[in-house]
Amino acid sequence: MNDGDGTLAAKARGRQFGPLGTALVIIPTYNEAENIKSIVDRVRKAVPAAHVLIADDNSPDGTGKLADELAAEDDHVRVLHRKGKEGLGAAYLAGFRWGLERDYGVLIEMDADGSHQPEELPRLLTALKGADLVLGSRWVPGGRVVNWPKSREILSRGGSTYSRLMLDVPIRDVTGGFRAFRRETLEGLGLGEVASQGYCFQVDLARRAVKAGYHVVEVPITFVERALGDSKMSRDIVVEALWRVTAWGVGDRIGKFTGKDTPQGGSGTP
């Protein structure tokens, strides 16, 4: 699962992957006025053929207005205005629906704060040619974090390790949010059943993909702590992730013991 571009592994599994189609980079925003222009400019330079969707949760700092100005200047940029702050998961789900309705072939999750380097997007897209889902990973060889305190790194590594063991998913960075999905993968994950928010949303989609039998590849990325604006990490997000992962893991174990598989969304093609 951690092979660099996925092509050899895909051939070994007898899979044939179709063309990717046009990519949509979904960037959720809430009070990212300091970052949004720079990050969109970098995305446009890194992957000129891709489109960008800014999903703004009615930011009081004027991010939505800036996004509209960017869209007026560039026909590859779109804006999805949402009524208010409902969490990262809800913003991505809205962005996925928007993109799927418009027949985009690839849908990409990316932060607005510069933590995810747009210059690494081509690496994710190359890997997706031989995969169903590509995860940008901090915790595979070659991956790293920059400007994080040790406490934050321990929390992130610990969260991924706990999720991996509890859910029995062979993914090193389960909680990361820099991801590229084929549209068929998203359509098979049961997105209508997803209720998780925050960073737990990322764990939820990863476990659904593995359970559905999709070919998941991790590629190394450099994750850089934001320089401007405030982090969205909070105690509530950590608590939600802990209890949901525990509940999913316990449910899986009960299902295996009773012989009744727990529904976790979607069906994939092994």
Side-chain angles (χ1 to χ4, degrees), residues 1 16 36 63 65 78 85 87 95 99 107 128 130 137 157 165 179 189 233 235 238 256:
M1 282 239 183
Q16 294 293 324
I36 190 59
T63 302
K65 182 176 182 296
R78 301 286 188 273
K85 188 177 181 183
L107 295 98
L128 194 62
S137 179
R157 283 185 180 271
L165 296 176
R179 303 178 169 191
L189 292 185
M233 179 64 72
R235 180 178 178 276
V238 175
K256 290 177 182 178

Side-chain angles (χ1 to χ4, degrees), residues 188-253:
L189 292 185
L191 295 180
E193 303 166 7
V194 175
S196 50
Q197 297 297 321
Y199 292 90
C200 187
F201 173 79
Q202 310 296 3
V203 180
D204 196 356
L205 293 194
R207 77 184 181 97
R208 287 169 180 268
V210 171
K211 187 175 180 64
Y214 288 117
H215 183 53
V216 182
V217 170
E218 294 185 88
V219 298
I221 61 166
T222 297
F223 183 97
V224 181
E225 177 66 349
R226 67 160 62 229
L228 299 171
D230 297 322
S231 172
K232 306 302 188 293
M233 179 64 72
S234 69
R235 180 178 178 276
D236 289 345
I237 288 174
V238 175
V239 170
E240 185 212 11
L242 180 62
W243 80 258
R244 283 193 183 273
V245 168
T246 302
W248 290 330
V250 171
D252 283 348
R253 284 159 176 77

Side-chain angles (χ1 to χ4, degrees), residues 5 17 21 25 27 46 72 92 101 103 105 113 116 135 160 163 206 244 270:
D5 69 11
F17 292 94
V25 182
I27 306 177
Y92 273 128
E101 288 170 358
D103 296 325
D113 60 14
H116 300 147
L135 312 179
S160 276
S163 299
R244 283 193 183 273

